[in-house]
């Protein structure tokens, strides 16, 4: 028993579960690929992109992704590095899928933020950072594309501190940029890492320089040696030193510089990442907080994804293990529906492959085949009735009414909508006053994907009309009498969502606020916990 506990503690401590956040085009895919390369999960660069391209060709809705050059889907990749087991959760960069990204970020313990050194902090990075801040997720920063002429490193740090309101602690420092980019100086270890463009560098050219006055520095860097000396002297006076506790609280970000495409600076990032990023963290449930070292298994579903294997039209629910040890074939309780189920064929995802999971530990992500019973936010555990919190639905701001061209397809439409809602791809509202079906989305591309998938996968031929709503709020009221008065009075604006929750739909904020003032004892919320 004692050894088993010891093993589990070791298993927990060696796990790192994280996501990469960035504005589209900053280099997230490229960095992912290089990380996998170091982890031995892929053998050559280009594999992740190739895999994406392969998936694109498989169905119509993926074509949207391809046409627009954006990543719609997110996936999970597992790889080993040194003695660590790393779970990398991919997040869609496009803002129209921010709901999905948010939910993926509820399942990570830390994040790596990629900044394009030419562009500095961009809008989507800002939004994703806000998401990380909600949970105080620790963030490491990778400033990418140093092989191009960009902003000065000092300006980039200033930009991050200003726009993202997070303290920066540079752990490496670039020597030149663009054509004059010579490498980075590791401030922590006093080591010079030299850059050779275009190399698939798995082992680096490093020169250890304990003292910056060493003439070796001039030999290696030529005229740029003095610039480095000046920069480091400036940093010693001005830059904030790295503070592990503050980083773990989400207040400070260690910063690395490099060039993902040249595989430069990636190993430095990864080496530090595994050492300082937190392992699996405790999770809040309705009744209590669950710690990863508890012996009983528990986990929650943060994502459902369809068509991962186009040959099988499967739908996979991604579950993050929060405590205990999961073993294949385990019987667990699915709390929302109050049933015990056996997880017979759980899947684990590697870069290019999937395999059956024999066992999993806190921090790991396992894929469970979903036959229509699992929803985002669902908790699974061994015995104790638990419901993890913090996986939200956001109030949509865009609405369309579905009008079927052929009434014979009503069943297919129903099935398609049910499944897409369950995946969190779209939301649906049914007005109390009529039989309309209203779809709600946070981003317009969600409609495009929904329409394309309803047609391609369910054979639905429909028109999607704009409707005059832009605000949705979930309604709460414990006073049944008052609620029924409200329902009667405001029936024309009320609808039920897919789970039957009462929702108020308004044309605009002004109209909503005017109504809400008249009903001060009714509660309205912009987000709703998935459960
Ligand atoms: P994303 O996932 O964040 O959207 O970015 P992605 O990795 O796809 O990179 C966006 C573009 O930036 C790609 O160029 C990629 O090659 C380039 N890139 C990534 N890292 C670096 C770097 O360190 N230096 C330079 N100079 N470029 C970099 P593309 O032309 O859009 O695509 P591709 O044809 O190269 O695939």
């Amino acid at each position: 028993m004692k050894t088993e506990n010891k093993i589990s503690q070791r298993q927990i401590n060696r796990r790192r579960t994280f996501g990469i956040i960035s504005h589209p085009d900053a280099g997230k895919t490229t960095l992912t690929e290089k990380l996998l390369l170091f982890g031995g999960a892929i053998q050559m660069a280009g594999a992740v992109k190739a895999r994406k391209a392969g998936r694109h060709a498989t169905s119509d809705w993926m074509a949207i992704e391809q046409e627009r050059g954006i990543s719609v889907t997110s996936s999970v990749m597992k790889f080993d590095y040194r003695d660590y087991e790393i779970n990398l959760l991919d997040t869609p960069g496009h803002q129209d899928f921010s709901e999905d990204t948010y939910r993926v970020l509820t399942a990570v313990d830390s994040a790596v933020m990629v900044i394009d050194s030419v562009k500095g902090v961009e809008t989507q990075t800002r939004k994703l950072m806000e998401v990380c801040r909600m949970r105080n997720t620790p963030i490491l920063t990778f400033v990418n594309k140093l092989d191009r002429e960009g902003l000065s490193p000092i300006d980039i740090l200033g930009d991050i501190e200003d726009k993202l309101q997070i303290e920066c602690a540079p752990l490496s420092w670039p020597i030149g940029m663009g054509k004059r980019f010579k490498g980075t100086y590791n401030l922590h270890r006093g080591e010079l890492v030299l850059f050779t463009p275009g190399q698939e560098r798995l082992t680096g050219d490093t020169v250890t320089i304990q003292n910056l006055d060493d003439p070796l520095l001039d030999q290696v860097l030529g005229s740029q040696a003095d610039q480095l000396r000046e920069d480091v002297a400036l940093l010693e006076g001005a830059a904030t030193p790295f503070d592990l506790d503050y980083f773990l609280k989400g207040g400070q970000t260690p910063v690395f510089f490099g060039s993902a495409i040249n595989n430069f600076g990636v190993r430095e990032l990864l080496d530090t990442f595994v050492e300082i990023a937190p392992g699996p963290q405790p999770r809040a449930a309705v009744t209590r907080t669950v710690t990863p070292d508890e012996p009983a298994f528990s986990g929650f579903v943060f994502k459902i994804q369809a068509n991962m294997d186009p040959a099988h039209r499967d739908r996979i629910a991604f579950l993050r293990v929060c405590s205990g040890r999961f073993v294949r074939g385990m019987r667990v309780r699915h709390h929302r529906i109050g049933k015990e189920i056996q997880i017979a064929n759980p899947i684990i995802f590697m870069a290019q492959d999937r395999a059956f999971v024999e066992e999993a530990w806190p921090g790991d992500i396992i894929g469970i085949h979903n036959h229509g019973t699992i929803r985002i936010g669902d908790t699974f555990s061994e015995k104790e009735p638990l419901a993890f919190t913090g996986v939200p639905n956001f109030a949509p701001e865009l609405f369309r009414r579905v009008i079927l061209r052929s009434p014979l397809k009503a069943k297919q439409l129903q099935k398609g909508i049910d499944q897409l809602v369950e995946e969190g791809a779209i939301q649906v509202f049914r007005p109390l006053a009529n039989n309309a079906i209203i779809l709600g989305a946070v981003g317009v591309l969600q409609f495009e994907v929904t329409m394309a998938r309803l047609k391609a996968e369910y054979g639905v031929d429909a028109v999607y009309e704009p409707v005059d709503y832009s605000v949705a709020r979930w309604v709460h009221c414990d006073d049944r009498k008052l609620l029924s008065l409200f329902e009667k009075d405001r029936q024309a604006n009320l609808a039920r969502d897919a789970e039957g929750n009462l929702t108020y739909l308004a044309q605009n904020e002004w109209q909503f606020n005017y109504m809400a003032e008249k009903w001060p004892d009714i509660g309205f919320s912009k987000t709703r916990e998935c459960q």
Side-chain angles (χ1 to χ4, degrees), residues 22-32 49 52 69-71 90 93 114 116 118 142 144-148 258-264:
S22 74
H23 191 87
D25 260 4
K28 184 171 60 113
T29 311
T30 313
L31 180 66
T32 302
K49 285 206 166 167
K52 275 193 177 168
I70 52 165
S71 161
D90 191 16
V114 184
D116 184 330
V118 183
F142 183 73
N144 191 26
K145 306 195 185 180
L146 263 288
D147 59 318
R148 288 200 180 160
S259 166
I261 196 124
N262 290 293
N263 213 357
F264 188 82

Side-chain angles (χ1 to χ4, degrees), residues 6 53 131 168 260 305 365 367 376 460 521 527:
K6 238 189 196 164
V131 170
C168 289
Q305 193 166 338
I365 311 296
I376 292 173
V460 171
D521 296 321
T527 56

Side-chain angles (χ1 to χ4, degrees), residues 459-471:
V460 171
D461 185 13
V463 182
Y464 301 83
E465 269 187 355
V467 259
D468 201 7
Y469 294 128
S470 69
V471 172

